[in-house]
Amino acid sequence: MPQTAPIGFIGLGAMGAGMAANLLRAGFEVTGFDLRRAALDDLAGRGGRAAASPRVAAEGAAVLILMVVNDAKIEAALFGAEGALDALPAGATVVLSSTVAAGYVRGLGERLAARGLHLLDAPVSGGATGAAAGKLTIMASGSEAAFAAAGAALEACSQKVYRLGDQPGIGSTVKAVNQLLAGVNLVTAAEGMAFGVAQGADPKVLYEVIRGAAGGSWMFENRVPHMLADDYTPTSAVDIWVKDLGLVLDTGKALKMPLPMAAAAYQVVMMAAAQGLGPIDDAGFVKVYESFTGAKVAGGNRKDEAK
C-alpha cells in the first residue's frame, strides 16, 4: 500500500541502500542521491527515483534521511552549493542517521529549527546486514512532531526504535556509548581468538566454547565466523572504527574524561589501518594479532600461512 509522505534520501552506501530498499518495499516514494552512479542505478532499479543532487532529492520531501559518513558530508548535503536545505518544504523533518558527535547534532538541530525544520537524531546499529533485512536498532531523539513525521519510515527500516527523549543529541550520545562498547568487544574478540590459537587451541572449538560462556559477546558471536572463514568481504569496514572510536575519544577529551579501554582498542584499530586493512571487514582486526603471533586463526595455528 503506497505511503503518502515522500522521502528524500542522501547517502546510498552499504547502510543507506538497505534502508532505502526497505522504504520502497513498505510503499514509500523515495528519491535518493549518492555520489556513485551505481548506487543511483540500484535505487532506480528497485523503484526509487535517482536525484542529480541533494537539492533534487529534497524537493517536496516531507522527510529527508541522511546516512552519510561524517559531519563534513552532512554540511555539504544540507548547506552546500547544491544542498538540500532550501528545497525542503516548511515543517519538513530531517532524519540524521549518521554517527557523529552529539554536540554537533545539538547545534544542527538549532540551525534547522531557525529555518522552521525539525531534526530527528536517529543513529542506527546493525550493520549492512541489518539494514538490508530491515532489522536495525534505531536510537532516536527529537520532538513529537519529528517522531510523528518520520515514525513510519523508521519502523520500515528497523526491528526496534528507541525513543530516547525530545532533544536532538540524546540519540547520538547513546550511539557513542554503543560504539565504545562494540569497538572494545570487537578488538578483544580478535585478541582472544589470536591468543588461543597461538597456544594451539582449535579455533572452531574455541569459538563454540566462548560464544556460550561468560566471555562471549554479540561481537564475538557475529565476527569470529568471518575470521574462521578467512572472509573479510566488508560488511562493516575497519575504517569505520577509525572514525567512530576517534569520535568517542574526542568526546572524552572534551569531557576531560579518561576512556582507557576505548583508547587501547583505538590503537589496534590504527595498527590495522596502518597495515592497509582499512577497506576490509572489521573482523580483520585479528590480522594485527596474527602478524605478531605468526598463527592464523582460520588455519588453526598454521604459522606459515599467517599474513
Side-chain angles (χ1 to χ4, degrees), residues 4 17 33 51 59 189:
T4 56
F33 173 75
E59 288 175 353

Side-chain angles (χ1 to χ4, degrees), residues 255-282:
L255 293 169
K256 294 185 172 57
M257 177 181 177
L259 300 171
M261 299 300 102
Y266 188 63
Q267 293 307 307
V268 178
V269 169
M270 292 305 295
M271 281 188 271
Q275 290 178 12
L277 304 177
I280 73 170
D281 188 79
D282 55 19

